[in-house]
Structure formats: structure tokens, C-alpha cells
């Protein structure tokens, strides 16, 4: 079909790349002009892997079934440009619903401006982020916002909350880690003090003695938390949206 634009989710971009490798298809050889990643959270480090594999620039796109398009990232990769003609966005405290000061992270609340037949007023997206009013290097004057993950997906270990996207960023910066992983959330009420992560190793990397412990130490240094790393041969590939956070 000779496509020149690809719109997909981050995990499906990797799944397609794995299929392409099996058939000997050279993805950079397709000379894709641009890729848009949407539907799932994605860290900059994971995005960089997708760009390297596909040989193109990958930008983020953010929207919802309830409100439509919300934000589009430019090539500066410096936050989403808010679709101001389509929606009004606020940032509120997840606990109280009250607006938070400018630049502070909270839950994104959206009012759809163009949906007359199915009006959406101050819809709580469940996503965390903050507004950014600084000029963007690309020159566009639309306001920008940054995402910090889903409120319900925030992991709690030893009373400390941590974003799955932050952990993904740390993992994807390690060349020995492959593209697939799972963050195992302890069950409610559990006294577990260690975060368990299942992950595949990168192609050509063998599970040497001490490798899991070395990965755990790197994560502990970055977060101050204890980790247990479980190295697996292969994790299940998703048929739809990937679930990075799984329950015990």
C-alpha cells in the first residue's frame, strides 16, 4: 500500500515491527513521513525506540471518546498543543475538584465546545497533567499541556506514589531491557515493600547472573524504592490496548 503516515498505539507500533522483522520487511525503507502515537501512555524513551525502529518522527496525539481531540504534539516534543477551538481544559485537585495553581499537576477536566447533541461539561478524564503557557519552539501559539499518566494507574509502594510512565522511562533507557514489561501492583492492603517488574531482555542479551539485581539497583537509585526484577522469555502480546500495570 506504500503508506506514508502511520497512526497507531505505542505497543502496536512495536507489535507491527516484530511482525515486519519476521517477514524481512525494512520499516525505515518505507520512508514513513510521520507517525502519530495515541491510545496509551508513552514515555519519551519508549517513543525514541519506536522512532529508531521505524526510522521516522513519532508525535503523540491525545483524545477521548467523550470529548474528541484534546491535544496534538508538534515535532518539538515539548507537550501537547491544546485544541482550543474544540475544548476548554482545566486542571483540578483529584481529591477536592478545586482548580490547582498554574503549572501544578492535577486531574485534567474538559468541557467540549462543539458537541451540541451530546454536551460534555467539566468531564473528569482521570488523566493527570499540567498546563504550560510558555511559548513553544515550533512557533504555534496554542496553549500546551503535559501528561503525567492515569490517576488510577499510579503505583503505591511503601506509601509512596509513583507514575508507571516514570518507571517506563527508566526501564527504556536501559539497553539491556526489551520493549515489553509489566509492573506488578501489590494487592490492596498488602504489606509488600518491593515493586515487582516482569520484563523481556533486549535481543542478543542473555540473562546473566546478577543482571536482574543490577537492574533493580539502578531503579532503586533513581526512585529510592526496592524492586524485584523477573526476567522472562516472552510476555503476551496485546490484541488491543496494552496493560502495563497488572495485579498480583
Amino acid at each position: 500500500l506504500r503508506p506514508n503516515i502511520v497512526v497507531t498505539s505505542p505497543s502496536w507500533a512495536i507489535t507491527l515491527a516484530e511482525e515486519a522483522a519476521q517477514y524481512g520487511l525494512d520499516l525505515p525503507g518505507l520512508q514513513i513521513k510521520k507517525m502519530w502515537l495515541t491510545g496509551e501512555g508513552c514515555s519519551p524513551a519508549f517513543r525514541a525506540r519506536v522512532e529508531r525502529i521505524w526510522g521516522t518522527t513519532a508525535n503523540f496525539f491525545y483524545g477521548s471518546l467523550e470529548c474528541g481531540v484534546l491535544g496534538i504534539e508538534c515535532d518539538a516534543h515539548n507537550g501537547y498543543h491544546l485544541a482550543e477551538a474544540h475544548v476548554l481544559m482545566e486542571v483540578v485537585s483529584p481529591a477536592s475538584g478545586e482548580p490547582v495553581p498554574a503549572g501544578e499537576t492535577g486531574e485534567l477536566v474538559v468541557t467540549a465546545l462543539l458537541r451540541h447533541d451530546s454536551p460534555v461539561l467539566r468531564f473528569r478524564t482521570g488523566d493527570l497533567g499540567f498546563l504550560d503557557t510558555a511559548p513553544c519552539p515550533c512557533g504555534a501559539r496554542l496553549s500546551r499541556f503535559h501528561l503525567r499518566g492515569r490517576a488510577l494507574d499510579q503505583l503505591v509502594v511503601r506509601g509512596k506514589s509513583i507514575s508507571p510512565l516514570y518507571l517506563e522511562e527508566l526501564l527504556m533507557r536501559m539497553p539491556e531491557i526489551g520493549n515489553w514489561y509489566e509492573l506488578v501492583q501489590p494487592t490492596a492492603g498488602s504489606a509488600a515493600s518491593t515493586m515487582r517488574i516482569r520484563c523481556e531482555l533486549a535481543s542478543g542479551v542473555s540473562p546473566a547472573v546478577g543482571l536482574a539485581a543490577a537492574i533493580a539497583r539502578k531503579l532503586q537509585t533513581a526512585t529510592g524504592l526496592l524492586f524485584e526484577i523477573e526476567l522472562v522469555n516472552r510476555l503476551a502480546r496485546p490484541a488491543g490496548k496494552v496493560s502495563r500495570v497488572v495485579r498480583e
Side-chain angles (χ1 to χ4, degrees):
L1 296 176
R2 309 302 303 174
N4 56 18
I5 298 290
V6 175
V7 182
T8 186
S9 66
S11 63
W12 196 246
I14 295 298
T15 300
L16 290 174
E18 292 177 338
E19 288 294 311
Q22 290 189 23
Y23 287 95
L25 178 63
D26 176 30
L27 291 182
L30 294 177
Q31 298 183 334
I32 300 295
K33 290 182 180 179
K34 191 91 69 179
M35 174 176 279
W36 298 98
L37 299 178
T38 187
E40 299 167 354
C42 184
S43 67
F46 194 92
R47 182 244 299 280
R49 292 192 178 203
V50 171
E51 290 182 322
R52 185 166 58 251
I53 292 170
W54 282 80
T56 190
T57 300
N59 292 344
F60 295 151
F61 178 96
Y62 174 58
S64 73
L65 176 65
E66 298 84 1
C67 303
V69 58
L70 300 177
I72 305 173
E73 192 183 42
C74 66
D75 288 352
H77 290 173
N78 192 28
Y80 296 81
H81 285 282
L82 179 63
E84 294 180 345
H86 293 257
V87 294
L88 173 68
M89 180 176 288
E90 305 169 75
V91 183
V92 306
S93 165
S96 68
E98 294 297 319
V100 301
E104 185 174 315
T105 297
E107 183 176 358
L108 302 183
V109 172
V110 176
T111 295
L113 302 177
L114 300 180
R115 298 209 163 185
H116 303 292
D117 297 322
S118 56
V120 179
L121 304 177
R122 304 198 76 223
F123 174 75
R124 298 185 66 159
T125 64
D127 292 320
L128 301 176
F130 65 92
L131 295 175
D132 187 349
T133 58
C136 182
C138 77
R141 296 185 179 182
L142 294 169
S143 298
R144 287 176 296 118
F145 63 94
H146 301 260
L147 290 179
R148 289 294 181 262
R150 297 281 297 171
L152 292 177
D153 285 343
Q154 298 301 292
L155 300 164
V156 178
V157 183
R158 293 165 52 192
K160 180 178 180 180
S161 177
I162 188 167
S163 168
L165 287 181
Y166 178 61
L167 291 178
E168 178 183 274
E169 177 73 14
L170 296 175
L171 288 170
M172 295 299 105
R173 288 182 182 181
M174 302 181 194
E176 60 267 37
I177 299 295
N179 297 317
W180 299 97
Y181 69 93
E182 290 180 343
L183 308 175
V184 183
Q185 172 71 72
T187 55
S190 170
S193 60
T194 302
M195 166 62 63
R196 183 150 54 95
I197 299 178
R198 297 191 192 101
C199 57
E200 297 180 10
L201 290 174
S203 177
V205 177
S206 59
V209 175
L211 178 57
I215 295 170
R217 284 195 298 270
K218 290 180 181 179
L219 293 173
Q220 181 182 0
T221 299
T223 65
L225 298 173
L226 298 177
F227 290 86
E228 175 189 345
I229 305 300
E230 179 184 349
L231 303 177
V232 298
N233 292 327
R234 183 178 175 84
L235 291 168
R237 300 303 190 250
K241 288 188 178 183
V242 67
S243 295
R244 300 295 193 186
V245 178
V246 298
R247 307 296 171 181
E248 285 184 328

